[in-house]
Every structure is written in C-alpha cells, then in structure tokens.
Amino acid sequence: KYNNISFDFDISCLGFEPIIIAEERNVRKLFDNLIDNALKYSPSGGRISVKILNDSENVTVSISDQGVGLTSEQLLHVFEPFYRADNSVTREFRGVGLGLAVCKRIVELYKGSIWCERAVNAGTMFNVALPVNVNLIASQKELKIETVVQDSTESKV
C-alpha cells in the first residue's frame, strides 16, 4: 500500500545474479525515485512491474506502470532539471522536477544509461542499464587512449 492505495507489484529477474559496483545510497536513491514515481502516477489497483536482466555486461532494470503516461514531447524532456510533465495527475503531487534529473546523474556517474518510453499497456517504462564492472570499462577506455597516443608518437619518429 502507498498512501492508502493498493497496487499489484510484479518483480522478475533473468540471467546472472544482478551485481554492480556502486554506492548503496546512490542506487537506493535512483530506484526509490523511479519506483516512487511509478506509484504516484498509477491508478489504484494498477500494476507496477520491475524486470531485472543481467547479461554479464550490464544489469538492466525496467520499471513500468499503468499510469497516465507521457506524450512524445514530454518523453524528450523528462530528464531535464526542473521539468515536470503538465497533466491533471502531476498537479496533485508537490515537487520541483529534480527527481529524474538526479536519476540521470546517478546513472551517468556509473557509466550507465537511462531512458524512458511508453509502456505496452499505457503508462510509462523507465529503463536503467548499469555496467556490471565500471572499473573494467574505465580501464578499457584508458587502454584505447594509450594506444592512440602510442600510435601517433610512433608515426612521428
């Protein structure tokens, strides 16, 4: 129950155990924001679905609801700071429009990606993909940079 409203909550996990390297408070803030939005904008009795997939490179979490959804125009701006979709439901809830901007910043901190789309049965689906090992990705990028520097140095000689 959330604010005396009931929801069907469905959680499924596929693939490997979903382990990422990240600070707990950041991950908690990220998913608290996304799930809180799904609860706020869904009707009583609606279904909130959380799907987790670890394909050994990324852990992808999809959170969908059966709420009011977003227009194509709203989808373009939803992660901008201070942006709030204007509809009758959003006017019921206080906020300044920073929750999803914070989510985007947290995901970028861990070299992941976040996007939003319309859910299949109406509503909205937020997707977060976080690399299983951020340090491996960072070291691969450093290797590529070093290789490029070495190649350009060798060509000058």
Side-chain angles (χ1 to χ4, degrees):
K1 282 199 163 206
Y2 177 84
N3 289 340
N4 293 323
I5 301 172
S6 296
F7 298 93
D8 287 330
F9 219 95
D10 176 42
I11 300 175
S12 62
C13 187
L14 300 169
F16 303 96
E17 187 175 359
I19 297 175
I20 57 169
I21 299 170
E23 286 81 12
E24 178 186 352
R25 65 186 163 90
N26 288 339
V27 174
R28 184 178 302 276
K29 181 68 173 171
L30 168 66
F31 291 111
D32 280 353
N33 279 347
L34 293 174
I35 291 172
D36 188 56
N37 278 353
L39 294 170
K40 273 196 268 189
Y41 300 117
S42 290
S44 180
R47 176 178 294 274
I48 309 293
S49 177
V50 179
K51 294 186 187 323
I52 305 166
L53 170 65
N54 181 350
D55 65 7
S56 80
E57 290 183 26
N58 292 295
V59 172
T60 303
V61 179
S62 300
I63 300 169
S64 60
D65 62 54
Q66 295 177 324
V68 294
L70 297 168
T71 67
S72 298
E73 181 66 23
Q74 291 168 333
L75 287 172
L76 296 173
H77 302 286
V78 75
F79 295 107
E80 294 174 6
F82 305 108
Y83 179 79
R84 292 200 65 201
D86 186 26
N87 62 45
S88 61
V89 177
T90 57
R91 287 185 219 117
E92 292 179 30
F93 300 101
R94 294 176 25 177
V96 293
L98 287 176
L100 292 174
V102 168
C103 289
K104 182 177 180 186
R105 182 63 193 115
I106 290 170
V107 169
E108 289 172 345
L109 181 69
Y110 296 109
K111 314 255 187 288
S113 57
I114 185 170
W115 67 98
C116 178
E117 55 194 77
R118 291 187 185 143
V120 175
N121 297 326
T124 309
M125 180 166 43
F126 283 89
N127 302 285
V128 174
L130 295 169
V132 172
N133 189 340
V134 175
N135 296 325
L136 179 62
I137 292 170
S139 67
Q140 287 174 343
K141 286 182 180 177
E142 289 172 14
L143 274 174
K144 289 178 185 175
I145 293 169
E146 289 176 15
T147 305
V148 171
V149 172
Q150 280 183 326
D151 290 344
S152 64
T153 306
E154 290 173 6
S155 63
K156 290 181 182 179
V157 176

